[in-house]
Every structure is written in structure tokens, then in C-alpha cells.
Amino acid sequence: MDALFRSLNKGQLAPVYYFHGPEDVLKDEAVRTILDKALDPGLRDLNLDQRSAAQVDPDEVHALCNTLPMMAERRVVLLRDVEAWKRKTKSRSAFLRYLDRPSPQTLVILVQGSGDDGEDRELARGSYEVRFDGLPPERAVNWVLHQAGRLGLNLETAAADHLVRSVGSDLGALSSELAKLASLPADVPVTAERVGELLGVRQGETPW
């Protein structure tokens, strides 16, 4: 996962990505980063196709992956729910054939839902495969601080630590709590005490 974000920050893009694992929030962050690097914002709507893998037939797989970009160097195809392809479907077979010779003008992102934790080895062999696991507490704190900055929230490190200790490392739950905190004035530092008041979990008072 770290290697992926380092390569993206350097502008290095693979022809096919395959994301799986339990942490959907990080998958979505990776997808957004790839889209920002791969597509011109003004032409994104013309060169981005998003589908559920369960709903595309073999002919559509071929068309999506081989259509030429419009007024740009590349286009992006985002296929979610690829766990549906673990069955021996014709669409999956069509995509495996595409993996043998991917188009240089198409970037494909395969996203597997967190409900299916296993790796599809055939998809992994032909793509840049990344497993997204949950973050340990110390990295979850850093993630919270980064997200708070994006939201314009002046969150103290002790407050981020208290938030993670109270809510846990689930990034979906942390995102929800940060959205609530984002309504606070931006020029007022958010302390651990303030977080405790809002969560109803006070450090040194509330039994774990």
C-alpha cells in the first residue's frame, strides 16, 4: 500500500490496478489519487467509465477497455465489485484475455469489495495488486490528522489520539466523526477534552 502511494506521487501509473482487502476507505483514496494523476479535470467526464463488474457482459468488457480516449493521452475504466468475477463468468474470461495485452491508452482499476477478503490470483498476476488492510492505531492517528487538515479542522495530536482510542481504527467510523467535528470553528483548536465532550468518552473518566 505504501509503495503504491509512493509510485503515484512520482507520477508512475500502471495499465491495470487490482485493489482488495477489508479497508474500503483507503481503496477509495487510492482510486481518487489515480484519477487525479491520470486524467485532465476538464476532460474527466469524457474519459472515465465506471461500472459494476457484475453488470458488464463480455462485449462490453472489450469495448470499455479498448475504446480510444477523447482529446487525451489515456482514459480510465473503473470496475467495482470484481468479486462477482470469482465465478467462471464469460466477462471474467474476456478480461483475463485483455490482461495478456492491455491497451497502452487505457488504465483499468479493479476494486473488490471488503465483503470478500480473498485474492483473485489470476487478476493479481496480470495487474498491480494491492491489499488494503486496516491501519494500526498509530497510523490511524496520522490519517486522522491528515484528514482533519483537508477538512480545515484544527485538530490537536492528543485529540486525534483520543478519537482513535475511543472510536477504534475503522476509517469509515473515523470519517463520520471527523465530519461532525468539521462543523466547529476552523480557528479554534480542537483539544482532546473537546473531542471527549462531543463523543461522550472522556479520558480518565469513561471506563473502557
Side-chain angles (χ1 to χ4, degrees), residues 4-73:
L4 168 69
F5 283 106
R6 283 196 297 269
S7 69
L8 294 177
N9 287 334
K10 294 177 182 177
Q12 299 169 347
L13 295 171
V16 181
Y17 291 92
Y18 167 45
F19 298 156
H20 63 100
E23 188 47 79
D24 285 334
V25 172
L26 292 178
K27 293 176 202 169
D28 288 341
E29 287 186 5
V31 169
R32 287 195 298 271
T33 303
I34 292 172
L35 295 182
D36 289 342
K37 297 291 184 181
L39 297 177
D40 182 321
L43 300 172
R44 178 174 293 197
D45 291 344
L46 297 175
N47 291 299
L48 173 62
D49 274 300
Q50 304 185 61
R51 298 285 194 280
S52 169
Q55 297 175 348
V56 294
D57 60 37
D59 290 339
E60 191 173 9
V61 168
H62 177 81
L64 284 171
C65 294
N66 290 286
T67 297
L68 295 175
M70 294 188 65
M71 299 180 291
E73 292 183 7

Side-chain angles (χ1 to χ4, degrees), residues 125-187:
R125 277 198 297 269
S127 62
Y128 189 131
E129 173 264 333
V130 183
R131 176 181 171 85
F132 289 84
D133 287 308
L135 297 178
E138 64 274 11
R139 293 194 64 178
V141 170
N142 291 333
W143 183 87
V144 166
L145 290 169
H146 178 71
Q147 292 299 115
R150 291 180 60 188
L151 293 170
L153 183 63
N154 188 0
L155 190 71
E156 294 183 353
T157 302
D161 182 71
H162 185 58
L163 182 61
V164 171
R165 284 169 55 83
S166 302
V167 176
S169 297
D170 180 86
L171 301 189
L174 289 170
S175 296
S176 177
E177 296 301 331
L178 282 172
K180 299 174 188 176
L181 293 171
S183 62
L184 297 173
D187 57 342

Side-chain angles (χ1 to χ4, degrees), residues 18-21 82-83 86 92 112 116-127 129-131:
Y18 167 45
F19 298 156
H20 63 100
V82 295
E83 61 271 20
K86 289 203 169 182
R92 182 178 187 277
Q112 184 170 302
D116 191 327
D117 203 27
E119 174 191 297
D120 187 315
R121 293 183 179 180
E122 288 184 302
L123 292 179
R125 277 198 297 269
S127 62
E129 173 264 333
V130 183
R131 176 181 171 85

